[in-house]
Amino acid sequence: MLKRDYEGYERAHEVVRLVDGDYVCNLCQLIWKRRPQTFCAGVPVYRYGYWPKGLYTYTQLRRDLKMQPIDREQPDGAYFIRKSPYRRWLYTIERAIPRRVSTPLQGEAITKMRAGLVAHYTCQRCGWHDKSQGKNKLALRIRDGWCVSCWDVFQRLELQVAQCKWARNYIDAGSFVVLDTETTGLEREDEVIELAIVEGRSGTVLFNSLIQPENLAERDSFATHIHGITRKDLETAPRFPDVWPVIRAILRRYRRVIVYNAEFDYFQLKYSAAERELIPTGEVSDMFDTHPF
Ligand SMILES: [Zn+2]
Ligand SMILES: [Zn+2]
């Protein structure tokens, strides 16, 4: 047994509380739901067979690689075993030395192996290098040759491409209108006070009007700070029943409608129509948010 095995029974974990409430140890990097009562290995602890590339047991180093750790008492990791001392040490090839004086050929093989390891833990896109070579489980990681932030950038680009494709297909599929509304606010009882309908491909404005809300007199707020529409503007505007036949006719003719903030705006329009017992437009075949993803 190594001296280190005995020390291990006295070393406490360096426990830190994570935002999600779990506990993590800075030394062994294990994670618990409750504050741990065990002792700490002092180095990252892995499940059997799940340690990063470049870590080897003492036996593997000696038997398979004809090497040995510089200091056997200073391992770089450990894995669990069932019997005492419940852990077995792992050593990095980085700090291992040949067991005997190596031939030039062996030396070359070892150099190649180390270089390969550096490449494995370097992002092929931005060149960021994981100095811990996968041993710091909490750090930014390399996955399939790229670092986490490069994957993030890539995924965002992919999303943009998908959105462009969607828009292109939508435009190619035929005529549609774009519907944009302004309302008195974001609540259920709020009303549409401006409505614009634009032909999607030509950009021709088919309809654009302010609309006087029902309870203009009682309202004290119009969300003027958002759209700039004032009480005075609305006093002379047509009421919803006046403009509804025109709106309905357009929506019936153009079955495909794109709505800015669909969830809210289309609901407001339907609500404004239902409120006054006006005939709804029927189903509109394409009702999309402008952010379909
Ligand atoms: Zn620990
Ligand atoms: Zn990167």
Side-chain angles (χ1 to χ4, degrees):
M1 230 170 165
L2 299 182
K3 196 166 128 259
R4 193 178 177 91
D5 287 326
Y6 298 100
E7 276 174 2
Y9 290 111
E10 290 140 37
R11 191 189 295 105
H13 293 286
E14 270 186 24
V15 173
V16 176
R17 193 87 191 261
L18 296 173
V19 264
D20 61 7
D22 286 356
Y23 295 89
V24 64
C25 170
N26 278 331
L27 297 172
C28 63
Q29 299 177 6
L30 294 174
I31 294 171
W32 301 267
K33 291 262 167 255
R34 296 204 186 128
R35 197 171 275 282
Q37 301 297 319
T38 54
F39 292 107
C40 183
V43 287
V45 175
Y46 306 95
R47 272 197 297 146
Y48 181 77
Y50 284 86
W51 52 82
K53 244 180 125 155
L55 284 183
Y56 298 92
T57 61
Y58 184 72
T59 316
Q60 283 175 330
L61 271 184
R62 284 180 67 90
R63 191 192 55 205
D64 305 340
L65 302 163
K66 309 282 180 252
M67 293 178 89
Q68 61 187 39
I70 293 171
D71 183 355
R72 207 180 164 185
E73 294 285 347
Q74 296 297 319
D76 302 286
Y79 68 91
F80 287 118
I81 54 170
R82 277 175 190 279
K83 56 185 194 335
S84 174
Y86 303 108
R87 58 180 76 99
R88 192 151 283 166
W89 306 113
L90 295 165
Y91 301 90
T92 175
I93 185 91
E94 287 285 282
R95 293 195 294 110
I97 46 167
R99 270 174 65 191
R100 35 195 170 98
V101 180
S102 62
T103 63
L105 209 65
Q106 278 176 322
E108 200 183 307
I110 291 161
T111 310
K112 252 190 207 159
M113 193 174 182
R114 284 182 179 158
L117 211 55
V118 169
H120 184 82
Y121 288 106
T122 301
C123 174
Q124 288 159 28
R125 191 172 170 273
C126 72
W128 176 81
H129 178 58
D130 178 3
K131 283 196 197 73
S132 83
Q133 303 204 329
K135 286 167 209 72
N136 184 358
K137 292 192 276 184
L138 310 174
L140 197 65
R141 302 285 281 286
I142 301 283
R143 185 163 52 81
D144 295 333
W146 282 11
C147 74
V148 174
S149 41
C150 281
W151 277 115
D152 195 46
V153 169
F154 175 72
Q155 268 157 12
R156 257 180 279 160
L157 283 173
E158 263 198 332
L159 186 67
Q160 278 177 15
V161 169
Q163 283 170 336
C164 285
K165 222 183 253 174
W166 177 87
R168 173 60 50 203
N169 289 343
Y170 194 90
I171 291 165
D172 288 349
S175 61
F176 65 97
V177 288
V178 179
L179 199 144
D180 191 14
T181 60
E182 296 295 357
T183 58
T184 50
L186 301 174
E187 299 304 319
R188 197 184 178 82
E189 63 273 12
D190 280 310
E191 293 182 69
V192 175
I193 50 173
E194 184 175 28
L195 180 73
I197 306 174
V198 178
E199 206 285 315
R201 297 203 287 189
S202 64
T204 311
V205 179
L206 302 172
F207 179 88
N208 186 12
S209 177
L210 291 173
I211 297 162
Q212 190 181 115
E214 287 249 294
N215 50 356
L216 181 67
E218 299 124 60
R219 273 192 184 277
D220 49 354
S221 161
F222 300 93
T224 302
H225 59 287
I226 294 168
H227 42 61
I229 300 168
T230 63
R231 175 188 298 276
K232 204 158 176 291
D233 297 328
L234 294 172
E235 273 167 359
T236 52
R239 294 176 313 117
F240 200 81
D242 304 328
V243 293
W244 178 245
V246 184
I247 297 167
R248 194 179 58 187
I250 295 170
L251 293 183
R252 275 188 172 162
R253 187 161 157 231
Y254 293 89
R255 306 291 292 185
R256 304 172 68 231
V257 182
I258 286 189
V259 189
Y260 281 111
N261 309 318
E263 217 174 288
F264 174 71
D265 275 359
Y266 185 58
F267 169 78
Q268 284 289 348
L269 186 65
K270 279 199 294 194
Y271 186 76
S272 292
E275 187 76 323
R276 297 164 180 86
E277 292 175 357
L278 300 170
I279 308 141
T281 53
E283 27 150 354
V284 178
S285 65
D286 279 307
M287 185 58 72
F288 282 109
D289 197 329
T290 46
H291 310 288
F293 295 92

mmCIF file of all heavy atoms in Angstrom, residues 12-14 25-30 32 39-42, ligand 1:
data_model
loop_
_atom_site.group_PDB
_atom_site.id
_atom_site.type_symbol
_atom_site.label_atom_id
_atom_site.label_comp_id
_atom_site.label_asym_id
_atom_site.label_seq_id
_atom_site.Cartn_x
_atom_site.Cartn_y
_atom_site.Cartn_z
ATOM 1 N N ALA A 12 -10.128 15.761 4.291
ATOM 2 C CA ALA A 12 -11.537 16.115 4.093
ATOM 3 C C ALA A 12 -11.736 16.654 2.674
ATOM 4 O O ALA A 12 -10.797 17.141 2.058
ATOM 5 C CB ALA A 12 -11.950 17.170 5.102
ATOM 6 N N HIS A 13 -12.968 16.547 2.162
ATOM 7 C CA HIS A 13 -13.287 17.131 0.863
ATOM 8 C C HIS A 13 -13.276 18.653 0.947
ATOM 9 O O HIS A 13 -13.635 19.212 1.988
ATOM 10 C CB HIS A 13 -14.688 16.706 0.414
ATOM 11 C CG HIS A 13 -14.805 15.254 0.117
ATOM 12 N ND1 HIS A 13 -14.281 14.693 -1.011
ATOM 13 C CD2 HIS A 13 -15.405 14.252 0.809
ATOM 14 C CE1 HIS A 13 -14.558 13.399 -0.999
ATOM 15 N NE2 HIS A 13 -15.231 13.099 0.085
ATOM 16 N N GLU A 14 -12.888 19.301 -0.124
ATOM 17 C CA GLU A 14 -12.994 20.779 -0.202
ATOM 18 C C GLU A 14 -14.320 21.096 -0.850
ATOM 19 O O GLU A 14 -14.406 21.314 -2.051
ATOM 20 C CB GLU A 14 -11.843 21.342 -1.044
ATOM 21 C CG GLU A 14 -10.625 21.672 -0.237
ATOM 22 C CD GLU A 14 -9.550 22.357 -1.049
ATOM 23 O OE1 GLU A 14 -9.875 22.977 -2.090
ATOM 24 O OE2 GLU A 14 -8.389 22.233 -0.653
ATOM 25 N N CYS A 25 -16.701 18.708 -4.746
ATOM 26 C CA CYS A 25 -15.393 18.825 -4.093
ATOM 27 C C CYS A 25 -14.372 19.297 -5.123
ATOM 28 O O CYS A 25 -14.270 18.745 -6.209
ATOM 29 C CB CYS A 25 -14.975 17.485 -3.493
ATOM 30 S SG CYS A 25 -13.261 17.504 -2.923
ATOM 31 N N ASN A 26 -13.633 20.348 -4.764
ATOM 32 C CA ASN A 26 -12.612 20.915 -5.649
ATOM 33 C C ASN A 26 -11.477 19.939 -5.943
ATOM 34 O O ASN A 26 -10.816 20.042 -6.960
ATOM 35 C CB ASN A 26 -12.005 22.159 -5.016
ATOM 36 C CG ASN A 26 -12.872 23.368 -5.256
ATOM 37 O OD1 ASN A 26 -13.573 23.427 -6.258
ATOM 38 N ND2 ASN A 26 -12.853 24.310 -4.332
ATOM 39 N N LEU A 27 -11.237 19.029 -5.027
ATOM 40 C CA LEU A 27 -10.103 18.119 -5.175
ATOM 41 C C LEU A 27 -10.480 16.872 -5.977
ATOM 42 O O LEU A 27 -9.888 16.579 -7.005
ATOM 43 C CB LEU A 27 -9.572 17.716 -3.791
ATOM 44 C CG LEU A 27 -9.016 18.869 -2.933
ATOM 45 C CD1 LEU A 27 -8.698 18.379 -1.539
ATOM 46 C CD2 LEU A 27 -7.773 19.467 -3.585
ATOM 47 N N CYS A 28 -11.486 16.141 -5.525
ATOM 48 C CA CYS A 28 -11.822 14.883 -6.199
ATOM 49 C C CYS A 28 -12.903 15.100 -7.258
ATOM 50 O O CYS A 28 -13.158 14.214 -8.067
ATOM 51 C CB CYS A 28 -12.262 13.830 -5.198
ATOM 52 S SG CYS A 28 -13.751 14.265 -4.312
ATOM 53 N N GLN A 29 -13.542 16.276 -7.256
ATOM 54 C CA GLN A 29 -14.537 16.673 -8.263
ATOM 55 C C GLN A 29 -15.780 15.785 -8.263
ATOM 56 O O GLN A 29 -16.501 15.711 -9.250
ATOM 57 C CB GLN A 29 -13.902 16.732 -9.660
ATOM 58 C CG GLN A 29 -12.784 17.757 -9.727
ATOM 59 C CD GLN A 29 -12.076 17.795 -11.063
ATOM 60 O OE1 GLN A 29 -12.477 17.128 -12.002
ATOM 61 N NE2 GLN A 29 -11.040 18.585 -11.162
ATOM 62 N N LEU A 30 -16.012 15.086 -7.172
ATOM 63 C CA LEU A 30 -17.235 14.294 -7.063
ATOM 64 C C LEU A 30 -18.385 15.232 -6.689
ATOM 65 O O LEU A 30 -18.157 16.280 -6.083
ATOM 66 C CB LEU A 30 -17.074 13.192 -6.014
ATOM 67 C CG LEU A 30 -16.047 12.099 -6.355
ATOM 68 C CD1 LEU A 30 -15.874 11.150 -5.171
ATOM 69 C CD2 LEU A 30 -16.458 11.326 -7.612
ATOM 70 N N TRP A 32 -22.319 15.551 -4.899
ATOM 71 C CA TRP A 32 -23.277 14.906 -4.013
ATOM 72 C C TRP A 32 -24.529 15.768 -3.880
ATOM 73 O O TRP A 32 -24.485 16.971 -4.041
ATOM 74 C CB TRP A 32 -22.703 14.732 -2.616
ATOM 75 C CG TRP A 32 -21.448 13.931 -2.513
ATOM 76 C CD1 TRP A 32 -21.340 12.591 -2.279
ATOM 77 C CD2 TRP A 32 -20.088 14.417 -2.614
ATOM 78 N NE1 TRP A 32 -20.029 12.205 -2.233
ATOM 79 C CE2 TRP A 32 -19.235 13.298 -2.440
ATOM 80 C CE3 TRP A 32 -19.530 15.649 -2.849
ATOM 81 C CZ2 TRP A 32 -17.850 13.401 -2.489
ATOM 82 C CZ3 TRP A 32 -18.151 15.757 -2.898
ATOM 83 C CH2 TRP A 32 -17.323 14.641 -2.714
ATOM 84 N N PHE A 39 -14.053 10.600 3.161
ATOM 85 C CA PHE A 39 -12.770 11.273 3.018
ATOM 86 C C PHE A 39 -12.424 11.435 1.553
ATOM 87 O O PHE A 39 -12.979 10.762 0.693
ATOM 88 C CB PHE A 39 -11.683 10.510 3.774
ATOM 89 C CG PHE A 39 -11.887 10.574 5.252
ATOM 90 C CD1 PHE A 39 -12.328 9.452 5.955
ATOM 91 C CD2 PHE A 39 -11.687 11.755 5.931
ATOM 92 C CE1 PHE A 39 -12.541 9.518 7.326
ATOM 93 C CE2 PHE A 39 -11.896 11.830 7.299
ATOM 94 C CZ PHE A 39 -12.330 10.712 7.998
ATOM 95 N N CYS A 40 -11.489 12.354 1.289
ATOM 96 C CA CYS A 40 -11.211 12.748 -0.084
ATOM 97 C C CYS A 40 -9.924 12.110 -0.622
ATOM 98 O O CYS A 40 -8.923 12.025 0.085
ATOM 99 C CB CYS A 40 -11.090 14.265 -0.148
ATOM 100 S SG CYS A 40 -10.848 14.867 -1.799
ATOM 101 N N ALA A 41 -9.978 11.708 -1.883
ATOM 102 C CA ALA A 41 -8.806 11.115 -2.521
ATOM 103 C C ALA A 41 -7.753 12.186 -2.830
ATOM 104 O O ALA A 41 -6.585 11.885 -3.023
ATOM 105 C CB ALA A 41 -9.215 10.406 -3.808
ATOM 106 N N GLY A 42 -8.187 13.434 -2.941
ATOM 107 C CA GLY A 42 -7.249 14.529 -3.197
ATOM 108 C C GLY A 42 -6.960 14.754 -4.671
ATOM 109 O O GLY A 42 -6.316 15.736 -5.037
HETATM 110 ZN ZN ZN B 1 -12.967 15.407 -2.410
#
